[in-house]
Amino acid sequence: MVGKTPGKSRNVAKKAGAEPVSGRPTLLSGGNPQIAKGYGDAPVQAYIAAMPGWKSDVGRRLDALIVEGVPGVHKAVKWNSPFYGVEDNAWFLSFHCFTKYIKVTFFRGAALDPVPPGKSKYPEVRYLDVYEGQLDEAQFSAWVRQASRLPGERMLATTIRKVQTMENRTSGSNEATPSKLIDAKIDALDDWRGETLARIRKLIQQADPDVIEEVKWRGVPVWEHAGIICTGEVYKAVVKTTFAKGASLEDPSGLFNSSLEGNTRRAIDFREGEKIDEEAFIALVRAAVALNTSARTGARSQKKPKSA
């Protein structure tokens, strides 16, 4: 097991995107180091050295275990992540920093025994999320040895970027229900934005068990009940929840902090590290549902009966 290091590292990830200090690499979303593409050990060691807080020690240990298990392993940094393979462009493993954990990707993980716990949109890919103090070195080493012996696939390199940055795309399949598409979007984000969107979704469902999920406007999650309640839009720096009739809702807790100038909509911008006022958010969703249902009931009551 890797020992715990001081909790100071939690604050480092929140500074993602800040200007580098003293020549250190920029930390991107989730505290992931921005390292130029390169082959060999040097760029990998530069990435590991730039990993914030406890993650650097764990990254160094992951690298050592991989080298120990696969002598002569090939290394590279691509798309701001270290990659390991038995030859260049035929990689079996990579890892990437997120705010609270390191995500290890086994590109042929479904063929490992036991299968790593994290599921992916791609059936052959599996993930291992390593939190502080929770690396099972023996199991990780066993997976590394197995992964390195699996048949290489040169075409795999062309799909790696899709695995790391895949975004929800509307499928022509009849099985691609809105709920499944939202599941896929959350899984694809795989950083603080995915965690935030998943939490927002859960709160909406808690507030209104009868809510209907839709996906509109090229992949935006939409929650409806007698009309649109709100949307879940994902941007680089914020997850935006736009309430369709927010201007007509009471907001005693002051959750609305965006789109304040219009006469109809109001929005909440959630940023990395911010805590959601769950009680106030649930109340806002319920108020939106009540407004939608009352408007529909009123419209029906105003309809004139057909003349005989």
Side-chain angles (χ1 to χ4, degrees):
M1 299 287 287
V2 175
K4 293 186 178 181
T5 55
K8 182 180 179 181
S9 63
R10 293 190 183 93
N11 293 326
V12 178
K14 294 181 182 179
K15 297 180 181 178
E19 292 297 320
V21 178
S22 304
R24 288 181 60 82
T26 297
L27 296 182
L28 303 172
S29 178
N32 191 61
Q34 184 178 40
I35 302 294
K37 176 181 178 181
Y39 289 84
D41 184 59
V44 172
Q45 296 308 319
Y47 176 95
I48 291 172
M51 295 170 75
W54 64 268
K55 299 184 185 74
S56 184
D57 290 338
V58 175
R60 193 171 294 109
R61 189 59 186 149
L62 292 173
D63 180 75
L65 292 171
I66 294 167
V67 171
E68 179 182 327
V70 188
V73 66
H74 289 233
K75 301 182 185 182
V77 168
K78 294 171 174 279
W79 308 296
N80 301 308
S81 296
F83 282 75
Y84 298 82
V86 292
E87 54 183 312
D88 288 344
N89 296 321
W91 313 104
F92 61 83
L93 179 152
S94 75
F95 57 85
H96 192 93
C97 281
F98 291 96
T99 304
K100 297 180 180 179
Y101 58 91
I102 300 170
K103 180 172 288 296
V104 179
T105 301
F106 291 96
F107 295 110
R108 291 294 192 92
L112 302 180
D113 182 23
V115 175
K119 295 182 179 180
S120 167
K121 178 181 178 181
Y122 293 86
E124 70 273 18
V125 176
R126 299 291 288 197
Y127 299 122
L128 173 67
D129 292 344
V130 182
Y131 290 84
E132 184 176 6
Q134 295 184 11
L135 174 62
D136 185 337
E137 294 191 2
Q139 181 61 78
F140 177 75
S141 295
W143 277 328
V144 166
R145 290 191 294 270
Q146 290 181 53
S148 68
R149 292 194 294 265
L150 293 173
E153 229 185 282
R154 289 192 175 275
M155 290 300 293
L156 180 61
T158 66
T159 66
I160 288 173
R161 181 59 172 163
K162 295 179 182 178
V163 172
Q164 287 200 316
T165 62
M166 58 185 179
E167 287 287 346
N168 176 46
R169 292 180 175 86
T170 302
S171 169
S173 168
N174 291 330
E175 297 180 357
T177 65
S179 292
K180 288 182 179 179
L181 291 173
I182 296 173
D183 287 342
K185 186 175 187 72
I186 291 171
D187 181 61
L189 290 167
D190 212 9
D191 60 8
W192 71 269
R193 297 173 302 167
E195 294 173 2
T196 300
L197 184 59
R199 187 59 189 157
I200 290 169
R201 181 193 198 186
K202 186 173 182 180
L203 292 173
I204 293 169
Q205 292 170 336
Q206 181 179 338
D208 180 20
D210 296 324
V211 70
I212 296 172
E213 295 189 314
E214 297 288 351
V215 172
K216 301 182 179 181
W217 310 298
R218 298 184 65 181
V220 176
V222 179
W223 290 276
E224 300 184 350
H225 186 147
I228 294 176
I229 302 169
C230 61
T231 64
E233 305 149 54
V234 178
Y235 300 95
K236 183 176 180 180
V238 301
V239 176
K240 180 185 292 288
T241 304
T242 300
F243 284 75
K245 299 178 181 177
S248 300
L249 299 175
E250 295 291 333
D251 180 25
S253 298
L255 295 184
F256 291 134
N257 58 11
S258 182
S259 302
L260 302 176
E261 67 284 350
N263 296 322
T264 306
R265 292 183 291 274
R266 291 288 184 271
I268 307 170
D269 286 350
F270 296 100
R271 292 177 171 80
E272 183 177 6
E274 293 182 346
K275 185 177 180 180
I276 300 174
D277 186 337
E278 298 186 353
E279 184 177 347
F281 185 81
I282 287 174
L284 202 58
V285 171
R286 287 174 176 165
V289 172
L291 180 61
N292 283 355
T293 53
S294 64
R296 176 169 292 186
T297 301
R300 287 175 178 172
S301 64
Q302 291 176 11
K303 287 184 179 180
K304 295 181 180 180
K306 293 181 180 180
S307 57

